[in-house]
Amino acid sequence: MSLPALRNVGRIHQKSTAFFLCDIQEKFRPHIFQFPSVVATAQKMIAAHKVLDIPLIVTEQNPRALGATAPELDISGARINLPKTKFSMLVPEVEKELQGIKSVVLFGIESHVCVLQTALDLLEKNYDVHVLVDGVSSMNHYEIEPALNRIKTAGGYVSTSESILFQIMGDSSHEKFKLISQLVKSTKEATASNKLFVRSHI
């Protein structure tokens, strides 16, 4: 009698996870739906990367035309900050930084272009991909939901920043639990006002 196949439920672990910050650039600011919400979620995840010592991977799409990463995002601790012309973040220079990484937490813009193509490339190479619904957007907000559905259909996971952080810790006895709890509390107002959660009702 053969054993049933193991189900992949997308468990995420601190030591085998990387955060991907996708193209949150200054010149997108006036054009992206709920850009402040994208930035607020990115700030939370950057703070968490510092607390949990999780690698942060940053890219900038054609920065000569689109500018650098939004200045309120402190990416000084990023493992790599790479300019690119390819839509996907998974360029060779980034892939070299993923030794020992199983799971990627992905946030940024645009959901239906660079975020989607990054997710598909990662999934094709058997990484678990967790996309933050409160941290991705596009110029046209109607593009967001189809992109997230496409990622789910391909085998990715759609989650929230707060949920992911507590999944990574897994236990209230985690040595960084108090610091992450404080971070969640300090960002409560921004989380509550994040309209990316309710884009289908707009």
Side-chain angles (χ1 to χ4, degrees):
M1 182 177 177
S2 61
L3 294 173
L6 292 176
R7 181 177 296 171
N8 183 4
V9 296
R11 295 288 186 189
I12 188 166
H13 303 282
Q14 182 177 352
K15 291 183 179 179
S16 58
T17 296
F19 291 168
F20 272 36
L21 189 162
C22 184
D23 308 347
I24 307 178
Q25 290 158 259
E26 181 59 25
K27 288 192 177 179
F28 280 120
R29 187 182 297 271
H31 309 292
I32 295 294
F33 173 70
Q34 286 294 313
F35 189 84
S37 291
V38 175
V39 167
T41 297
Q43 287 175 316
K44 183 193 301 185
M45 300 308 292
I46 290 169
H49 116 83
K50 294 175 182 176
V51 171
L52 296 170
D53 195 28
I54 288 176
L56 176 66
I57 307 295
V58 179
T59 60
E60 295 171 346
Q61 180 69 25
N62 194 9
R64 287 187 179 181
L66 297 172
T69 298
E72 59 265 57
L73 297 179
D74 177 11
I75 57 172
S76 59
R79 178 172 288 187
I80 186 172
N81 178 15
L82 189 73
K84 65 180 178 65
T85 57
K86 186 178 180 181
F87 296 128
S88 172
M89 291 180 70
L90 199 63
V91 295
E93 297 93 331
V94 167
E95 196 163 3
K96 286 178 184 177
E97 301 294 331
L98 298 184
Q99 296 297 319
I101 297 299
K102 179 176 181 264
S103 303
V104 169
V105 178
L106 177 59
F107 47 97
I109 52 181
E110 286 187 76
S111 56
H112 64 300
V113 185
C114 296
V115 170
L116 172 61
Q117 292 188 39
T118 300
L120 295 178
D121 280 356
L122 287 164
L123 289 165
E124 200 166 37
K125 291 181 178 289
N126 295 317
Y127 293 97
D128 287 341
V129 179
H130 303 261
V131 180
L132 301 185
V133 69
D134 54 330
V136 297
S137 190
S138 294
M139 293 185 189
N140 179 352
H141 70 80
Y142 291 110
E143 295 280 8
I144 302 171
E145 196 153 15
L148 294 178
N149 287 337
R150 175 74 174 90
I151 290 167
K152 286 190 287 185
T153 300
Y157 305 94
V158 175
S159 190
T160 67
S161 55
E162 185 172 325
S163 177
I164 282 291
L165 295 178
F166 284 100
Q167 286 179 62
I168 289 171
M169 290 187 296
D171 194 308
S172 62
S173 67
H174 191 285
E175 62 179 354
K176 303 293 185 172
F177 173 74
K178 287 186 178 179
L179 289 174
I180 293 298
S181 294
Q182 289 168 4
L183 172 62
V184 168
K185 288 176 184 176
S186 71
T187 57
K188 182 179 179 181
E189 186 175 335
T191 300
S193 63
N194 188 319
K195 292 185 172 59
L196 294 169
F197 286 117
V198 293
R199 71 190 173 280
S200 295
H201 307 296
I202 295 169

